[in-house]
């Protein structure tokens, strides 16, 4: 296809980017609605049961990841995305179709599997249309779908729910998933060209996990760990400190991320991974430290937390897409699906275990506030240690290139 000579903003790339926005917008619209819907009068579940059903999404996605990457490398990517989108649409429509618990559980599983396949395959697919010299920039822009959706979709969904009811919000989100299929019509895909398709029946560990990318994945998982900590404990932390409008943290974070990701991607393409990722991780670690000590500034607590939000977005927006691009480059385009699923697997684990570890810390602390602060300090230290790990990878790669 001669992609190395093509521009970044080609029709296929644009269509896939808009399709990604549709997928994430539908996801975030549903995410904020599901707990109130399940615990409301219609379904009537308790908080624990509702939490289990919501959590099934992450578990389903986590189990699916390795197989998603292998399928993305072996089969026609466009058809995989179409199937994934149908599963997502079926799951999203399913939430509002019936209030019977087995039906809702099935819808949640379908949504989780579809979302995992969709996210992994789309990233693998865009590598076919992005010049290798612009991979960092391409992934940086592509990741903005998550930023745009997370900043706007929850509020939009909440407004719609008040006006037309939650069931209809699920239908609208389902239609957005279906809209992704329409956009995929604009993508011209040459089909599967790999010789590996001859052994579709054989499944090996190395087809599901890219060992060469594990170093970058482990480093990046600490950044996802910080997401899990902040998402779970931002609101109770704000309550303990007596800060109103603490949720503005996410707004500032999204705005800063919107600016940082594409710029960092361009810089990564020009200067390399380590010039971007190491300072990015240092800034992210510092942001979590500032987040932990915000309570020591009575007159400036809100400002400190908002500055922390911006710093976290700038640092993470630089480091994480760069690490992802490096993982895909390490594996090569032929294994881009497995590289993507390996990278996402680390993110799923990091974000998943963070609230659990923090829960143990908070549960054993003298006060809840002390537990939150300790958890944030721990996160800052983990990211700093991961930065040292990245330095080790750098010197190891340098040694290998010499010898």
């Amino acid at each position: 296809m001669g992609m190395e000579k093509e521009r970044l903003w080609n029709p296929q790339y644009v269509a896939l980017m808009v399709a990604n926005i549709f997928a994430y917008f539908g996801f975030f619209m549903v995410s904020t609605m599901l707990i109130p819907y399940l615990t409301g009068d219609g379904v009537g579940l308790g908080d624990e049961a509702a939490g289990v059903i919501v959590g099934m999404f992450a578990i389903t996605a986590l189990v699916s990841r390795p197989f998603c990457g292998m399928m993305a490398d072996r089969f026609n990517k466009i058809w995989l995305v179409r199937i994934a989108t149908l599963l997502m649409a079926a799951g999203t429509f399913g939430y509002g179709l019936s209030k019977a618990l087995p039906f809702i559980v099935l819808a949640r599983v379908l949504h989780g599997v579809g979302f995992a396949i969709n996210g992994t395959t789309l990233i693998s697919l865009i590598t076919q249309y992005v010049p290798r010299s612009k991979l960092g920039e391409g992934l940086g822009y592509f990741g903005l779908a998550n930023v745009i959706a997370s900043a706007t979709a929850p509020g939009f969904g909440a407004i719609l729910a008040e006006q037309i009811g939650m069931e209809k919000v699920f239908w609208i989100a389902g239609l957005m998933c279906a809209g992704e299929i329409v956009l995929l019509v604009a993508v011209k895909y040459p089909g599967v060209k790999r010789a590996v398709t001859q052994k579709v029946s054989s499944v090996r560990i190395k087809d599901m996990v890219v060992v060469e990318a594990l170093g970058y994945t482990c480093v990046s998982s600490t950044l996802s760990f910080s997401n899990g900590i902040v998402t779970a404990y931002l609101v109770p932390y704000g309550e303990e400190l007596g800060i109103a409008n603490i949720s503005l943290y996410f707004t500032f974070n999204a705005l800063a991320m919107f600016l940082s990701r594409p710029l960092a991607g361009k810089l990564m393409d020009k200067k390399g991974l380590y010039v971007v990722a190491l300072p990015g991780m240092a800034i992210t670690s510092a942001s979590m430290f500032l987040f932990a000590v915000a309570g020591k500034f009575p007159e400036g607590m809100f400002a400190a937390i908002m500055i922390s939000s911006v710093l976290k977005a700038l640092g993470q927006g630089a480091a994480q897409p760069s690490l992802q691009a490096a993982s895909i480059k390490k594996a090569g385009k032929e294994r881009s699906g497995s590289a993507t699923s390996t990278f996402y697997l680390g993110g799923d684990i990091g974000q998943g275990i963070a609230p659990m570890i923090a829960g143990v810390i908070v549960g054993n602390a003298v006060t809840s506030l002390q537990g939150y602060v300790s958890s944030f300090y721990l996160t800052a230290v983990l990211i700093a240690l991961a930065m040292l790990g990245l330095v080790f990878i750098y010197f190891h790669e340098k040694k290998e290139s010499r010898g």
Side-chain angles (χ1 to χ4, degrees), residues 226-308:
S226 72
N227 292 341
I229 289 283
V230 172
T231 302
Y233 291 103
L234 175 71
V235 172
Y237 183 51
E239 288 172 354
E240 288 286 342
L241 294 178
I243 300 175
N245 299 320
I246 190 74
S247 59
L248 283 172
Y249 178 99
F250 294 116
T251 305
F252 280 91
N253 187 268
L255 290 171
M257 188 78 76
F258 192 85
L259 296 173
S260 68
R261 284 186 70 108
L263 294 175
K266 284 184 178 181
L267 188 61
M268 190 265 187
D269 290 331
K270 289 181 180 178
K271 302 294 184 181
L273 167 67
Y274 300 99
V275 171
V276 178
L278 286 170
M281 295 192 72
I283 292 169
T284 310
S285 179
S287 77
M288 291 306 300
F289 181 80
L290 178 59
F291 195 57
V293 301
K296 297 183 184 295
F297 307 101
E299 300 298 320
M301 280 191 296
F302 182 80
I305 286 175
M306 294 306 126
I307 292 170
S308 166

Side-chain angles (χ1 to χ4, degrees), residues 33 37 157-172:
M33 297 290 103
Y37 175 70
I159 292 170
L160 280 179
E162 288 179 9
Q163 300 295 322
I164 61 176
M166 290 185 189
E167 289 89 348
K168 290 180 181 176
V169 172
F170 295 139
W171 280 88
I172 292 171

Side-chain angles (χ1 to χ4, degrees), residues 24-37 54 57 91-93 95 108 111 153-154 157 166 169-174 177:
Y24 273 105
F25 203 92
F27 167 72
F28 280 108
M29 277 179 66
V30 167
S31 294
T32 53
M33 297 290 103
L34 211 49
I35 287 285
Y37 175 70
V54 171
F57 186 94
T92 310
F93 283 132
Y95 297 135
R108 194 63 175 158
H111 195 188
M166 290 185 189
V169 172
F170 295 139
W171 280 88
I172 292 171
C177 293

Side-chain angles (χ1 to χ4, degrees), residues 78-340:
I78 285 291
W79 278 105
L80 271 179
V81 175
R82 287 170 181 163
I83 292 167
T85 306
L86 285 173
L87 290 174
M88 289 166 60
T92 310
F93 283 132
Y95 297 135
L97 275 176
S98 172
K99 292 181 172 64
L101 186 57
F103 199 89
I104 292 172
V105 169
L106 175 62
R108 194 63 175 158
V109 171
L110 290 175
H111 195 188
V113 172
F115 193 78
I117 298 172
N118 184 79
T120 302
T121 310
L122 273 179
I123 292 289
S124 178
L125 189 58
I126 67 159
T127 64
Q128 313 301 310
Y129 304 104
V130 175
R132 185 176 173 84
S133 61
K134 294 185 177 181
L135 187 58
E137 182 183 359
L139 288 174
Y141 280 116
F142 199 73
L144 291 180
N146 194 343
V147 178
I148 293 168
S150 64
T152 57
F156 183 68
I159 292 170
L160 280 179
E162 288 179 9
Q163 300 295 322
I164 61 176
M166 290 185 189
E167 289 89 348
K168 290 180 181 176
V169 172
F170 295 139
W171 280 88
I172 292 171
L175 288 172
M176 294 201 75
C177 293
E180 187 180 344
I181 298 178
V182 177
L183 285 161
L184 292 173
V185 174
V187 180
K188 296 176 182 177
Y189 184 61
V192 181
K193 292 185 176 180
R194 287 192 67 206
V196 78
T197 52
Q198 72 225 9
K199 292 187 179 180
V200 168
S201 59
S202 63
V203 177
R204 298 167 298 178
I205 295 296
K206 70 176 187 178
D207 294 326
M208 296 187 285
V209 177
V210 177
V211 176
E212 306 95 288
L214 283 177
Y216 302 139
T217 298
C218 291
V219 168
S220 179
S221 68
T222 62
L223 300 174
S224 298
F225 188 96
S226 72
N227 292 341
I229 289 283
V230 172
T231 302
Y233 291 103
L234 175 71
V235 172
Y237 183 51
E239 288 172 354
E240 288 286 342
L241 294 178
I243 300 175
N245 299 320
I246 190 74
S247 59
L248 283 172
Y249 178 99
F250 294 116
T251 305
F252 280 91
N253 187 268
L255 290 171
M257 188 78 76
F258 192 85
L259 296 173
S260 68
R261 284 186 70 108
L263 294 175
K266 284 184 178 181
L267 188 61
M268 190 265 187
D269 290 331
K270 289 181 180 178
K271 302 294 184 181
L273 167 67
Y274 300 99
V275 171
V276 178
L278 286 170
M281 295 192 72
I283 292 169
T284 310
S285 179
S287 77
M288 291 306 300
F289 181 80
L290 178 59
F291 195 57
V293 301
K296 297 183 184 295
F297 307 101
E299 300 298 320
M301 280 191 296
F302 182 80
I305 286 175
M306 294 306 126
I307 292 170
S308 166
S309 170
V310 171
L311 288 175
K312 184 174 184 297
L314 294 175
Q316 190 170 350
Q320 215 150 20
S322 303
L323 289 163
Q324 184 176 29
S327 298
I328 293 172
K329 282 185 177 180
K330 197 85 167 174
K333 285 189 176 182
E334 295 82 6
R335 300 175 68 203
S336 59
S338 296
T340 301

